[in-house]
Amino acid sequence: ELKVEQNPLFLSMQEGKNYTIYCNYSTTSDRLYWYRQDPGKSLESLFVLLSNGAVKQEGRLMASLDTKARLSTLHITAAVHDLSATYFCAGGDYGQNFVFGPGTRLSVLP
Amino acid sequence: DTEVTQTPKHLVMGMTNKKSLKCEQHMGHRAMYWYKQKAKKPPELMFVYSYEKLSINESVPSRFSPECPNSSLLNLHLHALQPEDSALYLCASSQGLMDVWGGAHTQYFGPGTRLTVL
């Protein structure tokens, strides 16, 4: 059974700083997803990482996947307040279930 | 159109009421999902429909009854709920359960229904 962990669970950072959120998963997962959720809102798809070594970037966010280490990272560059949200990674359990990590609550302070 | 719509946005019901949540997508997706999300927790999968047939039921109590009338619509019928069922209920859809390489498709989520059971 696929299990997904994230750390940190809470992250408070200053604007302009860089930081990385880590997502570890327990068994082989065919791909890795990152979602963003604002308070009281739905989930917005950020990245889909399809293979080992995949790297995707959108604005100040960059995601990567290392299937050998069973690790994905979400790197934040020069954070701004608008990035404050909860970030979930999710593993694809061979097309049946999405298994979500517990989420990382990011707060970017001025 | 990459939108999944859900109605109502908010619902307050008593423990003896019967109500339904509705979800609709017009992306031609053949898999649809119901999730339950409690505050500060990740979404928990409840049901999966594939080609209008129930594919997965994650041991959800019978007071929740899903229905997929056609490939664009997904309902969740609620009856005799408990206060602990109060949560955000999210609908999602994807092209299918898996692609030609056996991988999961991206799921697109609706805005959710905020349910309060009194």
Side-chain angles (χ1 to χ4, degrees):
Chain A
E1 181 187 341
L2 176 63
K3 293 191 190 308
V4 181
E5 297 178 346
Q6 288 179 239
N7 83 82
L9 299 182
F10 300 93
L11 176 56
S12 182
M13 57 191 297
Q14 298 259 297
E15 279 191 329
K17 299 290 188 184
N18 304 334
Y19 210 84
T20 300
I21 299 170
Y22 298 88
C23 174
N24 291 90
Y25 52 97
S26 61
T27 64
T28 302
S29 178
D30 50 357
R31 52 201 59 188
L32 203 292
Y33 303 80
W34 284 97
Y35 284 85
R36 168 185 170 143
Q37 187 175 36
D38 291 296
K41 304 290 187 183
S42 190
L43 282 85
E44 173 192 356
S45 177
L46 293 175
F47 301 108
V48 181
L49 301 167
L50 300 179
S51 60
N52 188 42
V55 177
K56 289 198 173 177
Q57 182 159 8
E58 180 74 34
R60 300 174 189 275
L61 301 178
M62 183 174 72
S64 66
L65 179 63
D66 180 344
T67 57
K68 293 180 181 176
R70 297 178 184 164
L71 171 69
S72 179
T73 61
L74 180 66
H75 187 73
I76 302 157
T77 302
V80 293
H81 179 70
D82 285 351
L83 290 179
S84 298
T86 298
Y87 293 85
F88 291 100
C89 62
D93 194 1
Y94 290 100
Q96 291 294 306
N97 293 358
F98 259 31
V99 178
F100 283 90
T104 296
R105 288 176 62 192
L106 172 65
S107 178
V108 181
L109 306 174
Chain B
D1 182 5
T2 58
E3 191 179 6
V4 177
T5 60
Q6 289 186 245
T7 56
K9 291 185 179 178
H10 301 275
L11 178 62
V12 180
M13 60 187 290
M15 290 191 283
T16 58
N17 293 155
K18 285 185 181 181
K19 297 285 185 183
S20 296
L21 310 184
K22 297 186 185 303
C23 173
E24 191 166 6
Q25 56 87 13
H26 293 288
M27 296 179 275
H29 288 174
R30 304 315 300 262
M32 297 185 76
Y33 310 77
W34 280 115
Y35 287 86
K36 173 182 177 180
Q37 187 179 26
K38 301 284 270 185
K40 300 187 173 76
K41 297 290 186 184
E44 297 174 32
L45 184 67
M46 299 174 72
F47 302 104
V48 181
Y49 273 82
S50 176
Y51 288 85
E52 300 153 52
K53 292 193 182 334
L54 185 63
S55 174
I56 293 174
N57 175 345
E58 290 286 359
S59 303
V60 179
S62 59
R63 58 186 183 267
F64 295 92
S65 175
E67 178 197 20
C68 190
N70 61 56
S71 60
S72 300
L73 291 173
L74 186 66
N75 298 323
L76 186 63
H77 303 297
L78 314 173
H79 174 54
L81 295 193
Q82 304 296 310
E84 59 264 30
D85 296 321
S86 299
L88 181 66
Y89 287 83
L90 294 163
C91 173
S93 71
S94 65
Q95 287 184 344
L97 288 185
M98 64 181 75
D99 61 23
V100 294
W101 299 282
H105 284 288
T106 299
Q107 293 183 20
Y108 296 90
F109 284 80
T113 294
R114 175 75 58 190
L115 174 67
T116 302
V117 182
L118 301 177

